[in-house]
Amino acid sequence: MSVATSSVRKGETLIDTAMTLNAMHVDVLVVRHPESGAVKLLADKVNCAVINGGDGSHEHPTQALLDALTIRRRKGELSGLTVAICGDILHSRVARSNIHLLTTMGARVRLVAPRTLIPVAVERLGAEVFYDMNRGLDGVDIIMMLRLQTERMRGNYMPSIREYFHFFGLDYEKLAHANTEALIMHPGPMNRGVEIDSVVADDFGRSVIREQVEMGVAVRMACLELLTRNLPDESSKNA
Ligand code: ASP
């Protein structure tokens, strides 16, 4: 259901919506919500499985899983790799989920961004912070570029888009600091010429952006399969 046309817009609370959905006896709910923590709140109230499809700037677990699958297919394993996550870390649920997954799997994570786009005390999540792209990309195996989430920004976080691209946009000059075999990733949607140079994004020797989309289908199918595997079959449900 779309929030724009649903009862949520008519003033129903999230918990009332959860109760309504619960009464429909669905098997799985996939929820994307603009508020951080809303999916957890909903999951605590319903009996079925809930997949977080992205909650505010908090988490995006299936994106991290599809990123991990893409990396594993190309590099064999995650352990021992150095991954640079670059750009708007502050507003990125993709960054948070990836930090958790990658550090759990034994990869080293670097966060590369201007000071204004780095969350306070983010090193506590186990990542190293860099404010300079060339240093942050030095010798890395994976480069994950993030979109500037202007829809979540209140105020100015950088002098101009042009300056942002100059210092933090991925172009061949900055890419030259990474490992020669480094993969380029982006969760999409991409802002060409803002966080990534168009030619770099389309460099299919290095860029695995399309493969990420493909792996997204596989990972989400796997999640649905796992969560529905032990459901009682229809005949026993009716019995
Ligand atoms: N598609 C990703 C997300 O939903 C990344 C983005 O929107 O920039 O968070």
Side-chain angles (χ1 to χ4, degrees), residues 32 53-54 56 59-60 63 91-94 146-149 151-152 186-190 195:
R32 170 167 282 202
E59 286 246 27
H60 196 346
Q63 177 73 46
H91 302 102
S92 177
R93 51 196 180 202
V94 173
L146 299 174
R147 181 175 66 89
L148 271 187
Q149 309 227 344
E151 77 275 19
R152 297 189 205 284
H186 193 303
M190 246 187 309
E195 66 266 356

Side-chain angles (χ1 to χ4, degrees), residues 172 190 192 196-205 207 209-210:
Y172 279 118
M190 246 187 309
R192 292 171 181 265
I196 189 163
D197 196 351
S198 225
V199 276
V200 174
D202 295 335
D203 181 342
F204 294 118
S207 163
I209 297 170
R210 283 197 195 159

Side-chain angles (χ1 to χ4, degrees), residues 99 103 108-111 122-129:
I99 296 169
T103 53
R108 276 185 300 274
V109 178
R110 296 183 185 176
L111 304 176
V122 73
E123 316 76 39
R124 283 202 218 143
L125 299 179
E128 217 185 327
V129 175

Side-chain angles (χ1 to χ4, degrees), residues 67-122:
D67 289 340
L69 178 59
T70 309
I71 298 171
R72 224 175 60 175
R73 277 166 52 107
R74 291 293 186 122
K75 298 281 185 192
E77 58 179 344
L78 300 168
S79 172
L81 295 176
T82 304
V83 182
I85 306 179
C86 313
D88 188 358
I89 315 283
L90 185 65
H91 302 102
S92 177
R93 51 196 180 202
V94 173
R96 277 170 192 73
S97 287
N98 262 305
I99 296 169
H100 288 311
L101 188 151
L102 291 166
T103 53
T104 303
M105 298 304 287
R108 276 185 300 274
V109 178
R110 296 183 185 176
L111 304 176
V112 190
R115 285 174 196 276
T116 48
L117 293 175
I118 292 277
V120 176
V122 73

